[in-house]
Amino acid sequence: MFTSANPFTFCTPTKVLFGKDAIEGLPAEMAKCGHSVLLVYGGGSIKKTGLYDKVKTLLKDFSVYELSGVEPNPRVTSVNAGARLCREHKIDMVLAVGGGSVLDCCKVICDAAFYEGDAWDLVLDSSKVTKALPLFTVLTLAATGSEFDNSAVISNLATNEKLPISHELNFPRCSVLDPTYTMSVSKKQTAAGCADIMSHIFEQYIVDGTNMVSEGLCDSVLRTVVKFGKIAWDNGSDYTARANLMWASSLACNGICALGSDTGAWVCHGIEHELSAYYDITHGEGLAILTPVLMKYTLNDKTVERYASFAKNVFGIDKADKFEAARAGIEALEQFFASIGLPKTLREVGINEKVHFKAMAEHACKTFPISEAYVPLTPEQVVEILERCF
């Protein structure tokens, strides 16, 4: 079950500025890359919190152009709009201020700035990425880990697709992680962020071969979210809770927790991307609905040791019967999700029909290696999982 570490190569070129007022060091980092900046953000919450004014003051010596309105599930149309601005104004770098959606959008903007065609071409084939603008980020939501990795997920409403893209050029040059910028995050988004962080770990944890170091990192991140997620949900201004969640988010998805372990198929994300693509739901909420159902569905003689280990190391559940322990751990996870207001069924997020399930399942199995997962699944089984979430 457990293996010695597999060979790996690991590099994280992103410089992290962590802590209160860490943003003060951002202009000096950005000045190394030029003078003109595309500032990208979402729906305007950064203006309500005062962060927008803070950023504009810090960038007083730069030429700043703006792209606002990036969607929660960032769309390729926004990527194309940002890329056009970069080419039109000869932008030197991009600054993303927001959560993972804004950061993901900006990663592909940086790529598409040097590509004359539709940015969706790059999502479909990352080998077409040959050059990218430097990316800087100021994080306002602990969830996706996009501030510390080289991946992005982009939606195309025209094709009902939500697909990942990864490229070595997409690591941010420098990321500002100030926990105080997440204190205004709503209970709904705080909870969704917790589910997202935990799901990133599960995708790397429920695999065939692991090693003690990686297991320990995974357990630690999961325990951190369970402890501090509820505290942050109850009291959004708790700095310690926000700081722990922010760092947990960054570590959960940049690959460090899986070094030396077997590669996972990221089954839950593959299925959830279909839900988001068709119904535009909050990603973390979709993951919270799917995760316990997927765990129960895949609990068998092969996986029981993994799930029992999760139950013991994260929730302190230790039973002689491994299946009992595993089921108790999954139930404890469900209770945690419920304690922070996360939905349990698809109906709770407004999905009231099953008409697309077959097409969604087939596409999920086409775009993710679900048939080669730790517990391989067919499209028919993915449909069954979706129906159990209904």
Side-chain angles (χ1 to χ4, degrees):
M1 181 64 193
F2 306 115
T3 68
S4 58
N6 295 320
F8 61 84
T9 298
F10 183 67
C11 176
T12 299
T14 302
K15 185 172 186 177
V16 172
L17 305 179
F18 189 100
K20 191 175 184 300
D21 298 324
I23 198 171
E24 298 293 339
L26 184 61
E29 297 296 330
M30 293 177 63
K32 301 173 185 177
C33 295
H35 181 72
S36 59
V37 183
L38 179 64
L39 170 62
V40 183
Y41 51 97
S45 62
I46 65 169
K47 292 186 176 180
K48 297 176 183 177
T49 63
L51 179 55
Y52 174 84
D53 291 334
K54 176 68 174 180
V55 169
K56 289 301 291 285
T57 298
L58 288 171
L59 298 183
K60 59 182 174 54
D61 295 327
F62 294 79
S63 296
V64 181
Y65 303 88
E66 297 186 22
L67 174 68
S68 62
V70 173
E71 307 82 5
N73 288 306
R75 300 172 188 173
V76 70
T77 50
S78 293
V79 174
N80 283 323
R84 283 195 297 270
L85 287 172
C86 288
R87 290 191 292 267
E88 178 182 346
H89 298 289
K90 295 181 172 56
I91 296 295
D92 294 322
M93 72 202 86
V94 176
L95 174 60
V97 182
S101 295
V102 174
L103 274 59
D104 280 10
C105 183
C106 287
K107 287 179 179 180
V108 190
I109 287 175
C110 290
D111 299 334
F114 297 100
Y115 185 75
E116 292 297 333
D118 188 342
W120 192 245
D121 297 343
L122 307 179
V123 178
L124 294 175
D125 182 4
S126 63
S127 69
K128 293 182 178 180
V129 177
T130 58
K131 190 176 181 181
L133 289 172
L135 172 64
F136 297 83
T137 81
V138 178
L139 188 66
T140 63
L141 174 64
T144 70
S146 194
E147 67 280 1
F148 205 34
D149 70 17
N150 66 342
S151 298
V153 179
I154 304 297
S155 296
N156 188 336
L157 297 187
T159 60
N160 285 326
E161 290 180 292
K162 178 178 178 179
L163 298 176
I165 171 175
S166 297
H167 198 281
E168 62 181 9
L169 294 176
N170 286 353
F171 281 103
R173 188 69 59 91
C174 178
S175 288
V176 172
L177 277 62
D178 184 338
T180 64
Y181 295 156
T182 66
M183 288 182 176
S184 61
V185 172
S186 68
K187 285 180 177 288
K188 172 186 170 77
Q189 291 299 332
T190 297
C194 288
D196 200 3
I197 298 168
M198 296 184 80
S199 184
H200 291 157
I201 292 296
F202 289 136
E203 304 284 21
Q204 303 165 84
Y205 188 82
I206 311 301
V207 297
D208 197 12
T210 63
N211 62 88
M212 190 170 182
V213 174
S214 293
E215 284 180 20
L217 290 171
C218 288
D219 290 334
S220 179
V221 172
L222 291 171
R223 286 196 301 270
T224 296
V225 177
V226 170
K227 177 176 181 177
F228 292 105
K230 185 64 166 67
I231 295 173
W233 192 79
D234 288 333
N235 177 14
S237 298
D238 189 299
Y239 181 88
T240 298
R242 291 295 191 185
N244 274 274
L245 287 178
M246 179 168 267
W247 191 228
S249 169
S250 296
L251 292 181
C253 202
N254 79 328
I256 196 169
C257 289
L259 294 179
S261 297
D262 288 349
T263 302
W266 288 66
V267 173
C268 194
H269 274 70
I271 300 173
E272 200 293 319
H273 283 184
E274 299 301 315
L275 290 173
S276 294
Y278 274 85
Y279 301 103
D280 202 27
I281 66 172
T282 300
H283 176 57
E285 290 189 335
L287 293 171
I289 294 167
L290 283 164
T291 298
V293 175
L294 182 61
M295 284 181 162
K296 293 174 185 176
Y297 193 89
T298 57
L299 176 58
N300 56 31
D301 289 337
K302 182 178 182 181
T303 62
V304 64
E305 188 72 28
R306 292 273 71 215
Y307 287 136
S309 178
F310 156 70
K312 179 179 180 180
N313 295 332
V314 177
F315 290 108
I317 298 168
D318 190 9
K319 295 178 179 289
D321 187 307
K322 296 297 184 182
F323 278 95
E324 285 187 17
R327 284 190 283 267
I330 297 169
E331 182 179 346
L333 178 64
E334 288 182 301
Q335 291 173 352
F336 168 68
F337 283 165
S339 76
I340 56 175
L342 284 164
K344 189 175 182 178
T345 67
L346 294 177
R347 284 191 176 92
E348 293 177 61
V349 293
I351 300 176
N352 297 308
E353 45 81 17
K354 307 177 184 179
V355 65
H356 299 299
F357 282 6
K358 184 175 185 293
M360 291 162 60
E362 290 175 350
H363 193 261
C365 291
K366 178 181 177 182
T367 55
F368 279 76
I370 291 176
S371 64
E372 303 170 13
Y374 187 32
V375 177
L377 299 174
T378 65
E380 291 74 22
Q381 290 174 309
V382 172
V383 169
E384 188 175 346
I385 289 167
L386 287 167
E387 289 178 341
R388 292 188 183 189
C389 294
F390 198 67

